[in-house]
Amino acid sequence: MTSSEAVGTPPAEESGTVTRQQWKWSTLAAMASYLDAGSIVALGSGLALFQAYLGLSNGAVGALAAIGPNAIGCAIGALIGGRLGDKLGRKRIYKYDLLVYAAGILCIALAVNAPMLFIGTFVVGVAVGADVPTSLALVGEFSPSKARGKLLAFTQIAWNAGPVVVLLLALVLSPLDLLGIRIVFLHLFVVALVTWALRRGLAESARWTAASTGAVSAAVKLGALFRGANLRALVWTGTIYLFWNVAAGTNGIFTPYIITTLNAGSQAAGVALSCAGFLIGILGTLVFMRLVDRGHAMRKRMWALGSLAQVLAFVLYLVFPFTIPVIFGNIVLFGVGAAFAGEAVYKIVSQELFPTMLRGTAQGVTFGAARIFLGIWSFFVPTLANAGIGTVAALLAASLVLSGVVGYFFMPDTSGKSLEQIEAERA
């Protein structure tokens, strides 16, 4: 198959073998996750510096975090992009959204006043939000059924790699203060343009092309998403991701800020600790990729262990003083736990549980709802954190308990089945 042909023709033999071409497509699609997480962490690394440079209040810092790629901007993009990806095709969305992303990143990198910073942050959020559900649907639709979990989990490697690169750059460039953060954003600008150029060789998803023609497309209306098995899947995926994402988003964007604000360590220490967490996430996800397609029981077992580790990560803050060793313990436990009971699982099941013509829409809804909730929460994090870590830690631990319990007891059995088989079983 050449790059000009349709992507994702359902394989004749649903094995666990992944071709070089499928790895290439997965890598290009996964760059949405790289740019998503990279922009979140770049903003997080620069929050304190931009606050000092522009004289922003704590409320303005919370608002900035709330409107960007971590929250409301991303939510708006996901809701729009996910739906348009189902209506118009995956290719039309991922062909242009990275150009919008690049424009927003450049605006942040060159920001000399608060309006430039806020506009750029919002534009980046919308663009990356539109890309994520579309790119993930593409991966799910071309993957062999017995390797679908592996390829979708691979996008989580990119999600962790983006912050690692960003944080290492921020650490190396930390003597340059705000100029260093500007260079970090310029790196994302270059990566976005290179990815956009490489993606131009990708074609449309064959599964979407088949499903979008004639009676099949006409039979799948938006209202079907809010009835029966689709509604149950929407509530389940939305619940596990929303409450997990509160903790993950807080760690991702606010860790350096909280460490600096509460005088637990320097800006460089906060950046280094965040980087360690994402490196641990990469190692954990590599293990998850080897195990995730081994059956339903294995998925549930990993989810239980991962959920427990993440809850314990924030219990540490309730038991011990907020010091560098305790923060490191939190990062290790959360990084390992999130690899087994976090966004990778959400990405996989979001592709498996919905029909093709609603797949992007469904993930846009749940992804968007989670980011909106995180955006509202982000308004309050700086103020809560200034009063101490206890309240924040307790609320995050509670949210992870809820995500873990719902995820474990209501996890559907979809492992190793073709998308068509899953759809037929749930119809």
Side-chain angles (χ1 to χ4, degrees):
M1 178 182 292
T2 67
S3 60
S4 62
E5 295 173 327
V7 173
T9 302
E13 181 183 356
E14 288 287 349
S15 67
T17 303
V18 181
T19 67
R20 178 181 293 183
Q21 188 76 299
Q22 287 168 329
W23 278 117
K24 176 183 176 182
W25 293 332
S26 297
T27 301
L28 290 176
M31 290 309 296
S33 293
Y34 180 100
L35 294 168
D36 174 25
S39 59
I40 291 170
V41 175
L43 187 62
S45 298
L47 272 181
L49 296 172
F50 274 117
Q51 182 178 27
Y53 172 65
L54 298 174
L56 302 176
S57 66
N58 286 335
V61 170
L64 186 66
I67 66 169
N70 206 32
I72 294 171
C74 185
I76 294 171
L79 290 167
I80 296 171
R83 185 58 186 155
L84 290 179
D86 287 340
K87 295 284 289 182
L88 304 177
R90 318 305 186 204
K91 183 178 180 178
R92 293 192 186 183
I93 304 303
Y94 65 65
K95 188 176 180 181
Y96 298 110
D97 54 21
L98 289 186
L99 293 178
V100 179
Y101 175 93
I105 284 290
L106 191 61
C107 190
I108 297 173
L110 302 178
V112 293
N113 53 48
M116 284 184 71
L117 180 62
F118 275 75
I119 290 170
T121 300
F122 179 72
V123 169
V124 166
V126 171
V128 80
D131 199 302
V132 169
T134 307
S135 298
L136 292 177
L138 184 71
V139 176
E141 287 164 5
F142 67 60
S143 299
S145 60
K146 291 182 173 58
R148 185 172 53 244
K150 179 193 295 183
L151 287 177
L152 284 163
F154 175 69
T155 68
Q156 200 65 12
I157 296 287
W159 194 91
N160 283 284
V164 168
V165 174
V166 164
L167 289 168
L168 286 175
L169 281 174
L171 190 61
V172 170
L173 297 170
S174 58
L176 299 178
D177 294 326
L178 186 58
L179 175 60
I181 293 299
R182 294 186 190 278
I183 295 171
V184 169
F185 277 104
L186 288 174
H187 136 264
L188 292 172
F189 172 76
V190 173
V191 171
L193 290 183
V194 171
T195 303
W196 168 79
L198 292 173
R199 279 186 177 184
R200 297 183 71 186
L202 278 172
E204 188 54 84
S205 160
R207 274 191 165 104
W208 180 86
T209 300
S212 64
T213 56
V216 176
S217 177
V220 183
K221 301 294 186 182
L222 180 60
L225 185 60
F226 304 99
R227 295 193 299 268
N230 289 333
L231 177 59
R232 291 193 296 274
L234 195 70
V235 171
W236 184 73
T237 55
T239 299
I240 64 169
Y241 185 62
L242 186 151
F243 288 100
W244 175 84
N245 190 57
V246 171
T250 303
N251 259 14
I253 198 168
F254 284 112
T255 293
Y257 178 81
I258 292 174
I259 288 173
T260 304
T261 301
L262 296 184
N263 299 313
S266 64
Q267 169 78 5
V271 170
L273 285 165
S274 290
C275 186
F278 289 108
L279 283 170
I280 291 167
I282 290 175
L283 297 175
T285 304
L286 288 171
V287 176
F288 179 81
M289 286 173 63
R290 295 179 62 87
L291 301 175
V292 66
D293 293 305
R294 295 190 180 181
H296 181 59
M298 177 60 74
R299 285 189 183 183
K300 291 194 72 172
R301 195 175 302 125
M302 288 192 294
W303 181 271
L305 292 173
S307 296
L308 179 61
Q310 291 176 98
V311 172
L312 290 176
F314 288 97
V315 169
L316 287 180
Y317 288 158
L318 300 175
V319 177
F320 300 104
F322 191 67
T323 60
I324 293 297
V326 176
I327 296 168
F328 184 71
N330 166 274
I331 285 171
V332 170
L333 285 170
F334 189 81
V336 172
F340 295 101
E343 189 164 83
V345 176
Y346 162 76
K347 287 178 174 179
I348 294 166
V349 294
S350 291
Q351 312 317 311
E352 293 176 337
L353 293 177
F354 301 98
T356 299
M357 296 305 294
L358 292 174
R359 187 166 291 126
T361 304
Q363 188 161 6
V365 169
T366 55
F367 196 79
R371 294 297 175 102
I372 288 173
F373 190 87
L374 180 60
I376 296 171
W377 163 250
S378 295
F379 276 110
F380 303 102
V381 171
T383 302
L384 291 172
N386 272 283
I389 197 65
T391 302
V392 173
L395 290 170
L396 296 183
S399 71
L400 288 166
V401 168
L402 181 57
S403 175
V405 169
V406 171
Y408 182 82
F409 286 105
F410 297 96
M411 183 180 293
D413 183 1
T414 53
S415 178
K417 300 176 182 179
S418 70
L419 296 179
E420 291 75 20
Q421 181 184 351
I422 296 169
E423 185 173 348
E425 289 177 355
R426 296 178 64 79

